[in-house]
Amino acid sequence: MFLKLNSVDAFMIIIYVSVFGNGQKKKLIALSGTIPINYRGACYHIPVEIWLLDTFPSNAPLVYVRPTANMRIKPSRHVDNSGKVYLPFLHSWKPDCGINALIQVLICTFEEQPPVFAVPTQPVAQPMLPQPMSLQQSATGIPNVPYPLQQTAYPIPYPPSPYPTGMPMPAIPSIPQSTAQISNNSTVSSVHIRVSLLSAVSEKLTRRLEDIYFTTEIEIKTGEQLKEGQTKLERMMRHLDDEKSSIEKTITTCEKEIEQLDDKISKQNNENTAMNIDDAIQAPTPLYKQIVNAFVEEAALEDTIYYLSEGFRSGKMDLEQFQKHIRILSRKQFMLRAMLKKCRQKAGLAG
């Protein structure tokens, strides 16, 4: 049985009988095939196996790189020595992720750092670059990948990813490229080996220095942001301390005033004599007392004029009596208002 997936070659479905740690046997499905990657202008086919657990799609599948006879696994942060693939995508797997999305993530990851490298037929003393893998086609057009098809027991539970969820991935260094291109049929000399080693070491040091530089820049910017945040926090703390002191002073003043009011209320309750209404307002100076008296008398005249008007309107008073009283009261009200205005000006009050 074969399965056609988007942007990849045909995958072959293989049913394995896997033995769990408790001795229980279950049939598991594995998708076996290759995924194409573009690396330095060339197309390479990476053989992989995608194991679908019995809890799929609730749990993430297991992904293994299966090198052919002329390949070797290149361990990295995403692939261990056994070929098992570790990705943040697998660690944060959701049921709606899908196999096609997983394959696209594998392609992007392997294009940055191929998980395998070619092994030459003849021993060569220089570092080798990944070579395109030629896969023989069978009569049915399906790649004939030399995978071990025997029953193999793999660890079923997916281990936790080495990267915390939500954290950015560190920069992945690319594979050193040798400047010395040597054919399998040519003779390898010490000069070629030396040039190749110097080029590889130079590129590795350059990348390492770039990583250190960018890391230092990030740390400097982070330090500046932290200092700025610390300054803001200190300013906010000082402002809060000032507000706290002001509130404490206000509370103290209010407590003193409450005590004074309580004392006055207690004294008033203890006194048997009734309080005179004229003594309710105590003016601090004679001028203020004159202002209070004038204001009260003027307000009383205003009320008297109002009730006289109501009496005349209801017919209880004739016109001659109404005009006589209104003239007297209006003249007195005018004099009181003039005196009140003069007193207020002398006391420095508005109006």
Side-chain angles (χ1 to χ4, degrees), residues 145-318:
V145 184
Y147 301 138
L149 301 181
Q150 67 273 13
Q151 298 178 358
T152 308
Y154 292 96
I156 296 305
Y158 190 79
S161 172
Y163 307 104
T165 304
M167 291 188 61
M169 295 288 294
I172 303 176
S174 58
I175 297 178
Q177 181 180 6
S178 174
T179 57
Q181 302 293 335
I182 303 174
S183 174
N184 292 335
N185 298 326
S186 61
T187 304
V188 179
S189 63
S190 60
V191 176
H192 293 159
I193 296 175
R194 185 173 181 273
V195 171
S196 177
L197 291 176
L198 288 176
S199 176
V201 171
S202 176
E203 292 182 4
K204 188 171 182 179
L205 289 175
T206 302
R207 286 194 301 273
R208 180 59 178 167
L209 291 175
E210 290 178 354
D211 292 342
I212 294 174
Y213 173 77
F214 288 124
T215 303
T216 305
E217 289 292 327
I218 293 174
E219 290 177 352
I220 292 174
K221 291 181 180 179
T222 304
E224 293 176 354
Q225 294 176 356
L226 291 175
K227 289 181 180 178
E228 183 179 356
Q230 182 181 5
T231 303
K232 291 181 179 179
L233 289 175
E234 290 176 352
R235 185 166 58 252
M236 292 174 64
M237 290 299 296
R238 288 194 297 269
H239 181 66
L240 290 175
D241 291 338
D242 294 339
E243 289 187 352
K244 182 180 178 181
S245 301
S246 177
I247 292 173
E248 289 177 351
K249 291 180 181 178
T250 305
I251 291 174
T252 303
T253 304
C254 291
E255 290 177 350
K256 291 180 179 179
E257 292 181 356
I258 290 172
E259 291 178 357
Q260 293 176 0
L261 292 175
D262 291 338
D263 293 340
K264 290 182 179 180
I265 292 172
S266 299
K267 291 179 180 179
Q268 185 64 32
N269 292 332
N270 294 331
E271 292 179 356
N272 296 326
T273 59
M275 184 180 67
N276 188 6
I277 192 65
D278 295 332
D279 297 334
I281 299 176
Q282 296 292 336
T285 61
L287 180 60
Y288 283 99
K289 186 175 182 180
Q290 188 177 5
I291 292 173
V292 172
N293 293 334
F295 178 80
V296 172
E297 189 173 355
E298 192 272 336
L301 289 175
E302 185 74 23
D303 293 340
T304 304
I305 293 173
Y306 171 77
Y307 286 109
L308 285 175
S309 299
E310 291 294 322
F312 175 73
R313 188 179 295 108
S314 62
K316 296 178 180 180
M317 181 182 296
D318 57 7

